[in-house]
Amino acid sequence: MYTLNLSKPKKRFLFSPLLVMALMVTAITSCSKKNALPNTINSKDLAIKPAKDADITVYSGSNALYSTLSDVTTSTATTGFGTFTYTKYYSYSDLPEQYQSAMPDYVTNDEKTYVKNYIKAHPNEASADFSDVNYFIQYAGSSYDAYAGATMKDHNGAQHSVTGSNQMDYIEINGKHINGYNAGGGPNALCQNLPLSNPAYHDSWGDVNNTKYNAYKIYKISYNGKDGYYLGFDYKTQKNSGEHFDGDGVYNDYVIKLTPADGNNQEGGNNGNNGSSQTTVTNNGEVEVNLSINDKKSEGDYIATKLSIHVRDTTDAEVFIPVPAAYYITADDMHIVISHHLDLEKYNNILGSTTMDYTIAGQTVTLVIAYELNGIRITTSGINSAVLKSLRAEYGDGLTFEVWNYYKKENGTSELTRETLQSQYLNKSSIAFTTNTGKYINAFGALYNYNGRVYDKANTLTGVLTPYIDSACTQVLDVQYWDRSTSDAKYYILHSHVNPWDCIVKPTDESYILNETEVYNKIYKK
């Protein structure tokens, strides 16, 4: 059972107001009900740039900076499991070699009819579990049911009817647009490194809350003696003129077949080693770390850092922050977070305690802080295969450990500034793992160069999106703040810069080599 802590009482009295912090990120809002980007980035005012937590990915990676690209055969983006790759295929030769033999049979019209009727006959069947992150998707039909009734009358009493399947023009999974999947269907494709979380569609008929989450169900259906997984959507809509339809509870307005590509649920672990002695064991997951200093709000305010360790692998991690004891305060705030959005987290509210536990899937996960003469040591432990499988199946991600530490502005003989703290100490921080992880990411946040709110509108003839600075979409954002995408000129990219208060945290194991950079994130692999 997961422990929910809703009040989050403060462990210290001296720093009780310190936890009201989040990142300022520009919000993007659509001026029109069609062709708009469904992913609105919400923002709060301030200060410390948090690392990626269990359900927020706006601060780094391509999602924070780019409009969604479409109409390409193969596309990539960053997810919590590595690089999401989307490959359309027409025959096995279009697929990566390791997946060619796993290509599923085409979905026939008979199968589509059977599945639609099955879902209609079993509206109350519990949603099935689907924890694979590498899988094939195939369009499996739509019901094309028309919806009318009393709720579909406008303010003037005029009756309206809408065929839901014809209005579902934008499918997304885990925040990623599934290219080519619109009202008319979608192509056969392979998705790699894409957990099946938050499936949604965009309602092109309505003009209120167009992106519909929590309107799906996963069915496990046996057809011709073979089990298959089917992602079904229930059509819902709402208009400013009064019409609304809250769905009929039948998830067959749009159906996608899901076929596991490799039978690997990405549980992490030791790749079948089963504890036998080998010189090197490397898992398939990743660990991501962000260490950042709070921004200066006023003259003489406090100095703090926030460390976020996001673990998506079966390994323990140890971060060492080499700030001498003369400059740090032995006070902290500790959190273990499943999801900020769902308020699934635990706060260590015991005064003076530097250890906290969280029970997940019957297993104990631990966060420990040790204050040493030469620095602060933060250690995580307990994320094993059972914990990771449970988190991925229910929330589509791993676990986040968050620690706030606080610093003296002077130690009686010398002054400590944010700049000195960062350059002399924080940028020399390090991380070590008990088991080799497949990827280590030193996360650096991206801040938009334009600080105001950005709106966008699509040209009704060409579909080209343009950014504006007013809600009426009459004043185009100055070109110094954006460019057209080189991958697809219909979309634009907002200019950004790295958060100057994010810090370097390098692996102690020098066999981890800086392999690539995604936006500003540094990615290390063995």
Side-chain angles (χ1 to χ4, degrees), residues 236-417:
K236 301 179 182 182
T237 191
Q238 185 178 357
K239 293 180 75 70
N240 281 314
S241 51
E243 308 96 303
H244 67 276
F245 180 72
D246 294 329
D248 61 356
V250 179
Y251 296 83
N252 66 354
D253 291 290
Y254 197 103
V255 184
I256 298 172
K257 185 175 183 179
L258 312 166
T259 304
D262 53 14
N264 181 2
N265 286 341
Q266 293 294 308
E267 297 175 17
N270 57 13
N271 292 334
N273 187 39
N274 295 324
S276 61
S277 177
Q278 292 189 13
T279 55
T280 302
V281 175
T282 299
N283 291 349
N284 295 322
E286 66 180 36
V287 176
E288 181 175 7
V289 167
N290 174 262
L291 176 63
S292 195
I293 312 173
N294 67 323
D295 201 4
K296 183 178 180 179
K297 304 299 291 182
S298 61
E299 192 65 33
D301 67 352
Y302 65 92
I303 301 176
T305 57
K306 180 182 180 182
L307 172 70
S308 293
I309 308 171
H310 194 78
V311 182
R312 306 180 185 94
D313 206 341
T314 52
T315 183
D316 300 335
E318 181 180 278
V319 173
F320 185 68
I321 303 174
V323 178
Y327 286 117
Y328 66 68
I329 299 170
T330 55
D332 51 72
D333 287 295
M334 304 165 63
H335 300 256
I336 300 178
V337 182
I338 295 176
S339 167
H340 281 304
H341 177 67
L342 298 175
D343 209 0
L344 288 168
E345 60 183 280
K346 186 175 181 180
Y347 174 70
N348 183 17
N349 60 355
I350 302 174
L351 187 65
S353 173
T354 56
T355 300
M356 66 178 298
D357 297 327
Y358 202 163
T359 301
I360 300 174
Q363 310 292 309
T364 300
V365 177
T366 304
L367 174 63
V368 177
I369 300 178
Y371 292 98
E372 302 174 2
L373 183 63
N374 295 322
I376 305 169
R377 194 177 304 276
I378 297 98
T379 305
T380 74
S381 62
I383 298 186
N384 56 27
S385 181
V387 171
L388 201 58
K389 182 177 181 179
S390 175
L391 291 170
R392 285 171 169 170
E394 191 160 357
Y395 303 101
D397 210 337
L399 191 67
T400 301
F401 302 85
E402 297 180 348
V403 177
W404 290 73
N405 291 109
Y406 304 94
Y407 303 89
K408 305 172 185 177
K409 292 189 289 294
E410 52 85 25
N411 66 355
T413 59
S414 60
E415 182 181 2
L416 182 70
T417 65

Side-chain angles (χ1 to χ4, degrees), residues 25-26 28 41 57-67 446-448 494 496 519:
V25 181
T26 304
I28 301 177
I41 299 174
T57 58
V58 298
Y59 77 96
S60 69
S62 57
N63 289 338
L65 306 177
Y66 299 89
S67 299
L447 305 177
Y448 290 129
L494 296 177
S496 69
V519 190

Side-chain angles (χ1 to χ4, degrees), residues 108-273:
T108 65
N109 288 332
D110 286 345
E111 182 177 358
K112 292 178 182 178
T113 300
Y114 181 88
V115 169
K116 284 187 297 181
N117 291 337
Y118 181 95
I119 293 174
K120 185 174 183 178
H122 301 81
N124 298 320
E125 184 172 310
S127 187
D129 291 331
F130 188 90
S131 56
D132 291 75
V133 297
N134 300 321
Y135 50 89
F136 296 92
I137 59 173
Q138 298 168 287
Y139 174 66
S142 301
S143 66
Y144 294 102
D145 290 336
Y147 303 109
T151 64
M152 291 296 286
K153 292 182 179 181
D154 62 25
H155 294 315
N156 297 318
Q159 178 71 61
H160 295 270
S161 176
V162 58
T163 299
S165 303
N166 290 334
Q167 308 301 326
M168 302 164 81
D169 65 355
Y170 193 113
I171 303 298
E172 67 174 71
I173 297 173
N174 196 31
K176 303 293 183 290
H177 177 206
I178 306 304
N179 298 326
Y181 273 77
N182 296 297
N188 296 328
L190 170 66
C191 297
Q192 294 173 256
N193 300 318
L194 184 67
L196 193 74
S197 61
N198 295 322
Y201 62 87
H202 186 249
D203 169 30
S204 63
W205 191 77
D207 49 24
V208 177
N209 298 325
N210 295 77
T211 302
K212 304 299 182 183
Y213 299 96
N214 300 317
Y216 73 92
K217 186 182 286 189
I218 302 169
Y219 280 83
K220 187 176 183 180
I221 300 173
S222 180
Y223 173 72
N224 281 349
K226 186 176 181 180
D227 289 342
Y229 293 92
Y230 300 87
L231 170 63
F233 292 99
D234 186 18
Y235 181 71
K236 301 179 182 182
T237 191
Q238 185 178 357
K239 293 180 75 70
N240 281 314
S241 51
E243 308 96 303
H244 67 276
F245 180 72
D246 294 329
D248 61 356
V250 179
Y251 296 83
N252 66 354
D253 291 290
Y254 197 103
V255 184
I256 298 172
K257 185 175 183 179
L258 312 166
T259 304
D262 53 14
N264 181 2
N265 286 341
Q266 293 294 308
E267 297 175 17
N270 57 13
N271 292 334
N273 187 39

Side-chain angles (χ1 to χ4, degrees), residues 465-509:
L465 282 164
T466 301
Y468 296 84
I469 63 173
D470 63 318
S471 59
C473 291
T474 60
Q475 188 172 349
V476 176
L477 178 66
D478 193 287
V479 294
Q480 68 175 303
Y481 297 113
W482 64 283
D483 285 314
R484 283 281 161 211
S485 168
T486 56
S487 301
D488 189 333
K490 289 193 300 185
Y491 301 94
Y492 61 85
I493 298 172
L494 296 177
H495 293 176
S496 69
H497 60 279
V498 67
N499 177 23
W501 294 117
D502 281 354
C503 304
I504 298 169
V505 183
K506 285 186 176 181
T508 56
D509 184 345

